[in-house]
Amino acid sequence: MTDSLIQPRTLKGFRDYLPATMVRREWMMQTARQVYRRFGFVPIDTPALEYFEILTGKGSEETDKQMYHFEHGRHHVGMRFDLTIPLARFVAQHHVTVGLPFKRYQIAPVWRGENTQAGRYREFSQCDFDTIGTESVLADIETICVAHDLLAALKLPAFEICINSRKVLKGLLQSIDAGDRATVVLRALDKFDKLGEDVVAKELEEVAQLVPPQIDAVLAMARITGSNTEIIDQLQKLLGSQADAAEGIDRLKLICDALSDMNVAPERVQINLRIARGLDYYTGIVFETILSDLPEIGSVCSGGRYDNLAGKYTKQYLPGIGGSLGLDRLLAALEQLGSGDETAASRTIFIPYFDADRLKDYLQIATAVRQAGFDVELYPEPKKLGQQLKYADFRGFPIALIAGSQELDAGKCQIKDLRNKTTMDASWRPSVKPLTEAIATTLKPVAIDL
Amino acid sequence: MTDSLIQPRTLKGFRDYLPATMVRREWMMQTARQVYRRFGFVPIDTPALEYFEILTGKGSEETDKQMYHFEHGRHHVGMRFDLTIPLARFVAQHHVTVGLPFKRYQIAPVWRGENTQAGRYREFSQCDFDTIGTESVLADIETICVAHDLLAALKLPAFEICINSRKVLKGLLQSIDAGDRATVVLRALDKFDKLGEDVVAKELEEVAQLVPPQIDAVLAMARITGSNTEIIDQLQKLLGSQADAAEGIDRLKLICDALSDMNVAPERVQINLRIARGLDYYTGIVFETILSDLPEIGSVCSGGRYDNLAGKYTKQYLPGIGGSLGLDRLLAALEQLGSGDETAASRTIFIPYFDADRLKDYLQIATAVRQAGFDVELYPEPKKLGQQLKYADFRGFPIALIAGSQELDAGKCQIKDLRNKTTMDASWRPSVKPLTEAIATTLKPVAIDL
């Protein structure tokens, strides 16, 4: 009597990560942790579930609508849809304990029940870093540096961090008496690089309801390009007399100057006056990061400065600046570009379990090679060698260590390079050193980082 | 006009991880990843949400009752309450793609709406490793080795892995004609070490409804202690003629023999015939790991062999063996024992931003020290030095690099050891090497692993 089988499947919009993808993902997350810590950020974690009232109202209506939420016991609970609201709640709750300024990172999944037709997933991971409790330009500079070092550490060949200032945009809007239409104007401006000037002009007229001189002023600013120095010069002429804009221009200049003195190549950071970042809580610097070889996938690392993170939960004024690495978008990009391939490829040494009577010898050789710092998979059953090598090919192991009873008796084994089918002999008893040195030579020049 | 504030708080049974705890947790998870990979395990990840029908019925009634589940769109969905059912679903779905044998690990949160009065959390992380698709004793041996190497890598001073065989227990039950009462007998047996023989005897009589000769036989087996060799000898006399038991005894012997030849000290692995592991899906080896200095917290790494992982989802026969590191329980233990303290302590170098006009110099020194491989936090605002050093003490930074304009002009700075208040000078320009070498000396002998 057997029950009928249940079809094994995942929910629509959800996915499994198979090993090859997951190895790359772990490498990305570990790289992010290392870069964040390099700049003094510390990790926190928060629950997947929060009180519904904590999660609502701070994001947009859209995220409220997309939230997974339900009744549990006497409470209405929701699954977090970003890491910013949990951070705001966390800092409101713990700022005395953790102290200010507070630099934290958090890498964790979030859930949004969005329309999956756009190829979006309903579960994805965010990888955020924020500096809370300071308005200093130093935090702005280091935020851009973190974005830079992060992308560099992920071995992306070419990327550009585009920065802009909401203060400049605010100044522009005030100068044309359109401060009350910030959100719609910024949303239109964000489309400039992708859809072109005409689309923006039309949207400024029809949606933002600006008149021609206002539209001209917005477009005049958006058209400014050149080196960062040139852009700042032109901005100063155009908007330097407006107080907010002047403040924004000064800060852009400070940032660009400082970065050129640090570990950041000048071509990596570009002022782009058309970057607005749709969400309306930013108040200072905003930034996006475009992969030069894959601009169509959009920004892979974005963020900006905000005035008051947690006003919904505390009277404590908490300005800050933060950024977010788009883990899943970047994962797709890395796979397309082949970056991190050497990390994703198996570096595990394969040992066929060849002679059934010599279990202990196989365990000993595996243990010795592991203790020398290599990952080793020992085949669990004494099947035919050919079958085991087929499995090794399927798995993509670079090297197999083959030993029958004669080799085992002599304390030797054969190192078979499964990629180019060459072989060499090495002894592993009484010392494993000749063997592990030969393995290290064979595996070079592959990186050893996890 | 301000809205009334929403109280920042977490749901009952849920918690935030603050940085000091989270640093230790990240270290544990990264250590687990490294050990798992050392043995050829590869990572996967699965969704937090699954179809309700996938999650139900395979666990116990208790877990079904504790599951967070709700309607979403047209579907009934649940949050996973362990990583075993998602693994079963995953392997049923992907075994052709990933190939067999399949050795995977997964580190991820799970949710159980249990009674929180017992001090349990409703969200906790599991850290599982399993070898699917083989019945080989080699997989049993390596599973015990992984548990051993994991606990050793976490620098636990003393632990004991207790192993037993469900085959032996099954043989015992058959020999006394009580095969139909396995679950209740095993549940009673599990209480032997904690509550004593009398409690077990009473439960065997009243709950399992065994008669005195049956109870005597169970207790006779449970009383067997001694070295592994002695236990195996006595078991062979007691149950060697029963087929299932004989098979179990042979395997226990093979495992103990092999481990003594590997990197495992004999006192680390102990046959314990009273370990049964309540859940009824185990069919072969079972194990638990007790911290000798904290036995009361219970097992920190447990697991066992099962016959058929995914029978609910596929006709493919999938035997396997797995284990699970009790991350949160172990985190509490590590904090009590002080293990990993050097990892949890901040290794970040603190640089006060001292002279307001020298922003660029501070950024340069921070960048140089970072590039040499150290984590650096630069204070974001040019406040008074005393105030900044107070902050540094609060944060627990080991070292501050202090430089005013005179030191900066001279390319020097003061290395202040904040733990013992000693100071020394070092130059960082034109080369940062004298400085970073002095920092490295000051930080020794603290480990550098993330």
Side-chain angles (χ1 to χ4, degrees), chain A residues 389-423:
Chain A
L389 289 178
K390 224 171 172 178
Y391 168 84
D393 267 340
F394 175 76
R395 278 265 185 275
F397 295 112
I399 287 177
L401 304 183
I402 301 172
S405 58
Q406 282 186 347
E407 283 99 342
L408 292 173
D409 286 338
K412 289 192 181 306
C413 74
Q414 206 183 79
I415 303 174
K416 189 179 176 91
D417 190 324
L418 297 168
R419 300 161 299 187
N420 60 19
K421 312 292 171 197
T422 55
T423 60

Short mmCIF file of all heavy atoms in Angstrom, two decimals, chain A residues 389-423:
data_model
loop_
_atom_site.label_atom_id
_atom_site.label_comp_id
_atom_site.label_asym_id
_atom_site.label_seq_id
_atom_site.Cartn_x
_atom_site.Cartn_y
_atom_site.Cartn_z
N LEU A 389 34.93 7.51 -12.21
CA LEU A 389 35.53 8.64 -12.93
C LEU A 389 34.47 9.37 -13.76
O LEU A 389 34.55 10.59 -13.97
CB LEU A 389 36.69 8.16 -13.81
CG LEU A 389 37.94 7.73 -13.02
CD1 LEU A 389 39.03 7.24 -13.97
CD2 LEU A 389 38.47 8.87 -12.15
N LYS A 390 33.47 8.64 -14.21
CA LYS A 390 32.34 9.26 -14.91
C LYS A 390 31.64 10.23 -13.97
O LYS A 390 31.29 11.37 -14.33
CB LYS A 390 31.36 8.17 -15.34
CG LYS A 390 30.83 8.31 -16.74
CD LYS A 390 30.07 7.07 -17.10
CE LYS A 390 29.34 7.21 -18.42
NZ LYS A 390 28.65 5.95 -18.77
N TYR A 391 31.40 9.77 -12.75
CA TYR A 391 30.80 10.61 -11.72
C TYR A 391 31.67 11.85 -11.48
O TYR A 391 31.17 12.98 -11.38
CB TYR A 391 30.65 9.80 -10.43
CG TYR A 391 30.32 10.60 -9.19
CD1 TYR A 391 29.00 10.95 -8.89
CD2 TYR A 391 31.32 10.99 -8.31
CE1 TYR A 391 28.70 11.68 -7.75
CE2 TYR A 391 31.03 11.72 -7.16
CZ TYR A 391 29.71 12.06 -6.89
OH TYR A 391 29.43 12.78 -5.76
N ALA A 392 32.99 11.64 -11.43
CA ALA A 392 33.92 12.76 -11.18
C ALA A 392 33.83 13.79 -12.30
O ALA A 392 33.85 15.01 -12.06
CB ALA A 392 35.35 12.25 -11.04
N ASP A 393 33.71 13.31 -13.55
CA ASP A 393 33.56 14.23 -14.69
C ASP A 393 32.27 15.02 -14.57
O ASP A 393 32.23 16.23 -14.77
CB ASP A 393 33.53 13.42 -16.00
CG ASP A 393 34.93 13.31 -16.60
OD1 ASP A 393 35.80 14.14 -16.24
OD2 ASP A 393 35.15 12.38 -17.40
N PHE A 394 31.20 14.30 -14.25
CA PHE A 394 29.88 14.92 -14.09
C PHE A 394 29.93 16.04 -13.05
O PHE A 394 29.36 17.11 -13.23
CB PHE A 394 28.88 13.83 -13.69
CG PHE A 394 27.51 14.35 -13.37
CD1 PHE A 394 26.65 14.73 -14.38
CD2 PHE A 394 27.08 14.45 -12.05
CE1 PHE A 394 25.38 15.21 -14.08
CE2 PHE A 394 25.81 14.92 -11.74
CZ PHE A 394 24.95 15.30 -12.77
N ARG A 395 30.65 15.79 -11.96
CA ARG A 395 30.74 16.75 -10.88
C ARG A 395 31.73 17.88 -11.16
O ARG A 395 31.73 18.89 -10.49
CB ARG A 395 31.21 16.05 -9.60
CG ARG A 395 30.17 15.34 -8.82
CD ARG A 395 29.63 16.24 -7.72
NE ARG A 395 28.69 15.52 -6.89
CZ ARG A 395 27.40 15.37 -7.18
NH1 ARG A 395 26.90 15.94 -8.26
NH2 ARG A 395 26.61 14.69 -6.39
N GLY A 396 32.62 17.67 -12.13
CA GLY A 396 33.59 18.71 -12.46
C GLY A 396 34.78 18.80 -11.52
O GLY A 396 35.40 19.85 -11.40
N PHE A 397 35.11 17.69 -10.87
CA PHE A 397 36.32 17.72 -10.03
C PHE A 397 37.55 17.96 -10.92
O PHE A 397 37.66 17.37 -11.98
CB PHE A 397 36.51 16.39 -9.29
CG PHE A 397 35.44 16.11 -8.28
CD1 PHE A 397 34.54 15.06 -8.48
CD2 PHE A 397 35.33 16.86 -7.13
CE1 PHE A 397 33.55 14.78 -7.56
CE2 PHE A 397 34.33 16.59 -6.19
CZ PHE A 397 33.45 15.55 -6.42
N PRO A 398 38.50 18.79 -10.49
CA PRO A 398 39.69 19.03 -11.32
C PRO A 398 40.70 17.88 -11.26
O PRO A 398 41.40 17.62 -12.23
CB PRO A 398 40.29 20.30 -10.72
CG PRO A 398 39.82 20.33 -9.30
CD PRO A 398 38.48 19.64 -9.29
N ILE A 399 40.75 17.20 -10.11
CA ILE A 399 41.82 16.21 -9.89
C ILE A 399 41.25 14.98 -9.21
O ILE A 399 40.42 15.09 -8.31
CB ILE A 399 42.92 16.81 -8.98
CG1 ILE A 399 43.75 17.84 -9.74
CG2 ILE A 399 43.82 15.72 -8.42
CD1 ILE A 399 44.80 18.49 -8.89
N ALA A 400 41.73 13.81 -9.64
CA ALA A 400 41.43 12.58 -8.90
C ALA A 400 42.75 11.97 -8.42
O ALA A 400 43.76 12.05 -9.11
CB ALA A 400 40.69 11.58 -9.79
N LEU A 401 42.71 11.41 -7.23
CA LEU A 401 43.87 10.67 -6.71
C LEU A 401 43.53 9.19 -6.76
O LEU A 401 42.64 8.73 -6.05
CB LEU A 401 44.16 11.08 -5.26
CG LEU A 401 44.39 12.56 -4.99
CD1 LEU A 401 44.74 12.78 -3.52
CD2 LEU A 401 45.51 13.09 -5.88
N ILE A 402 44.23 8.46 -7.65
CA ILE A 402 43.87 7.08 -7.90
C ILE A 402 44.91 6.14 -7.31
O ILE A 402 46.11 6.29 -7.57
CB ILE A 402 43.72 6.83 -9.42
CG1 ILE A 402 42.64 7.79 -9.98
CG2 ILE A 402 43.36 5.38 -9.71
CD1 ILE A 402 42.54 7.78 -11.48
N ALA A 403 44.43 5.21 -6.50
CA ALA A 403 45.36 4.25 -5.91
C ALA A 403 44.69 2.89 -5.80
O ALA A 403 43.63 2.76 -5.19
CB ALA A 403 45.81 4.73 -4.54
N GLY A 404 45.30 1.86 -6.41
CA GLY A 404 44.89 0.47 -6.20
C GLY A 404 45.76 -0.12 -5.11
O GLY A 404 46.56 0.58 -4.49
N SER A 405 45.61 -1.43 -4.89
CA SER A 405 46.31 -2.02 -3.73
C SER A 405 47.82 -1.94 -3.87
O SER A 405 48.52 -1.73 -2.88
CB SER A 405 45.85 -3.46 -3.50
OG SER A 405 46.10 -4.22 -4.66
N GLN A 406 48.33 -2.07 -5.11
CA GLN A 406 49.79 -1.97 -5.27
C GLN A 406 50.31 -0.60 -4.89
O GLN A 406 51.29 -0.46 -4.16
CB GLN A 406 50.18 -2.28 -6.72
CG GLN A 406 50.19 -3.77 -7.00
CD GLN A 406 50.73 -4.09 -8.38
OE1 GLN A 406 50.87 -3.20 -9.21
NE2 GLN A 406 51.02 -5.36 -8.63
N GLU A 407 49.64 0.47 -5.39
CA GLU A 407 50.05 1.83 -5.02
C GLU A 407 49.92 2.04 -3.52
O GLU A 407 50.78 2.64 -2.89
CB GLU A 407 49.21 2.89 -5.75
CG GLU A 407 49.57 3.10 -7.22
CD GLU A 407 48.64 2.36 -8.15
OE1 GLU A 407 47.94 1.43 -7.68
OE2 GLU A 407 48.61 2.69 -9.35
N LEU A 408 48.82 1.56 -2.97
CA LEU A 408 48.61 1.74 -1.52
C LEU A 408 49.72 1.06 -0.73
O LEU A 408 50.26 1.64 0.22
CB LEU A 408 47.24 1.21 -1.11
CG LEU A 408 46.04 2.01 -1.63
CD1 LEU A 408 44.72 1.29 -1.32
CD2 LEU A 408 46.01 3.43 -1.07
N ASP A 409 50.10 -0.15 -1.15
CA ASP A 409 51.19 -0.85 -0.47
C ASP A 409 52.49 -0.04 -0.54
O ASP A 409 53.26 0.00 0.42
CB ASP A 409 51.43 -2.23 -1.11
CG ASP A 409 50.33 -3.21 -0.73
OD1 ASP A 409 49.66 -2.97 0.30
OD2 ASP A 409 50.14 -4.19 -1.46
N ALA A 410 52.70 0.62 -1.68
CA ALA A 410 53.95 1.36 -1.88
C ALA A 410 53.85 2.79 -1.32
O ALA A 410 54.81 3.56 -1.42
CB ALA A 410 54.28 1.41 -3.37
N GLY A 411 52.70 3.16 -0.73
CA GLY A 411 52.53 4.52 -0.22
C GLY A 411 52.49 5.55 -1.33
O GLY A 411 52.87 6.71 -1.15
N LYS A 412 52.00 5.17 -2.49
CA LYS A 412 51.95 6.08 -3.64
C LYS A 412 50.52 6.27 -4.12
O LYS A 412 49.60 5.56 -3.71
CB LYS A 412 52.78 5.50 -4.79
CG LYS A 412 54.29 5.52 -4.56
CD LYS A 412 55.00 5.20 -5.88
CE LYS A 412 56.51 5.18 -5.73
NZ LYS A 412 57.10 6.40 -5.13
N CYS A 413 50.33 7.22 -5.03
CA CYS A 413 49.08 7.27 -5.79
C CYS A 413 49.31 8.06 -7.07
O CYS A 413 50.34 8.70 -7.25
CB CYS A 413 47.95 7.88 -4.96
SG CYS A 413 48.10 9.64 -4.76
N GLN A 414 48.32 7.96 -7.96
CA GLN A 414 48.40 8.65 -9.24
C GLN A 414 47.56 9.93 -9.14
O GLN A 414 46.40 9.87 -8.72
CB GLN A 414 47.80 7.74 -10.29
CG GLN A 414 48.32 7.94 -11.69
CD GLN A 414 47.58 7.03 -12.66
OE1 GLN A 414 46.45 7.32 -13.05
NE2 GLN A 414 48.21 5.93 -13.03
N ILE A 415 48.15 11.07 -9.55
CA ILE A 415 47.38 12.30 -9.60
C ILE A 415 46.88 12.46 -11.03
O ILE A 415 47.67 12.64 -11.95
CB ILE A 415 48.25 13.52 -9.25
CG1 ILE A 415 48.86 13.34 -7.85
CG2 ILE A 415 47.43 14.81 -9.30
CD1 ILE A 415 49.85 14.43 -7.49
N LYS A 416 45.57 12.37 -11.22
CA LYS A 416 45.03 12.47 -12.57
C LYS A 416 44.36 13.83 -12.71
O LYS A 416 43.41 14.15 -11.98
CB LYS A 416 44.01 11.36 -12.79
CG LYS A 416 43.55 11.24 -14.24
CD LYS A 416 42.55 10.10 -14.40
CE LYS A 416 42.01 10.04 -15.81
NZ LYS A 416 42.79 9.17 -16.70
N ASP A 417 44.87 14.63 -13.64
CA ASP A 417 44.23 15.91 -13.93
C ASP A 417 43.04 15.64 -14.85
O ASP A 417 43.21 15.29 -16.01
CB ASP A 417 45.24 16.87 -14.59
CG ASP A 417 44.69 18.28 -14.69
OD1 ASP A 417 43.47 18.44 -14.94
OD2 ASP A 417 45.48 19.23 -14.52
N LEU A 418 41.85 15.78 -14.33
CA LEU A 418 40.65 15.39 -15.08
C LEU A 418 40.29 16.39 -16.17
O LEU A 418 39.45 16.12 -17.02
CB LEU A 418 39.47 15.21 -14.13
CG LEU A 418 39.64 14.10 -13.08
CD1 LEU A 418 38.56 14.19 -12.01
CD2 LEU A 418 39.63 12.72 -13.74
N ARG A 419 40.94 17.54 -16.16
CA ARG A 419 40.64 18.56 -17.16
C ARG A 419 41.43 18.30 -18.44
O ARG A 419 40.92 18.40 -19.53
CB ARG A 419 40.95 19.95 -16.61
CG ARG A 419 40.13 20.26 -15.35
CD ARG A 419 40.72 21.38 -14.53
NE ARG A 419 42.07 21.06 -14.03
CZ ARG A 419 42.74 21.81 -13.17
NH1 ARG A 419 42.23 22.94 -12.73
NH2 ARG A 419 43.95 21.46 -12.78
N ASN A 420 42.71 17.92 -18.28
CA ASN A 420 43.51 17.68 -19.50
C ASN A 420 44.00 16.24 -19.60
O ASN A 420 44.82 15.92 -20.47
CB ASN A 420 44.69 18.67 -19.57
CG ASN A 420 45.60 18.52 -18.36
OD1 ASN A 420 45.56 17.50 -17.68
ND2 ASN A 420 46.42 19.53 -18.11
N LYS A 421 43.53 15.37 -18.69
CA LYS A 421 43.79 13.92 -18.73
C LYS A 421 45.25 13.53 -18.54
O LYS A 421 45.64 12.41 -18.85
CB LYS A 421 43.27 13.31 -20.06
CG LYS A 421 41.85 13.72 -20.44
CD LYS A 421 40.81 13.15 -19.50
CE LYS A 421 39.43 13.76 -19.79
NZ LYS A 421 38.47 13.58 -18.70
N THR A 422 46.09 14.45 -18.05
CA THR A 422 47.47 14.07 -17.75
C THR A 422 47.53 13.40 -16.38
O THR A 422 46.65 13.60 -15.54
CB THR A 422 48.40 15.30 -17.74
OG1 THR A 422 47.87 16.25 -16.81
CG2 THR A 422 48.45 15.95 -19.10
N THR A 423 48.56 12.62 -16.17
CA THR A 423 48.73 11.98 -14.86
C THR A 423 50.17 12.09 -14.40
O THR A 423 51.09 12.26 -15.20
CB THR A 423 48.38 10.47 -14.90
OG1 THR A 423 49.25 9.86 -15.85
CG2 THR A 423 46.94 10.24 -15.28
#
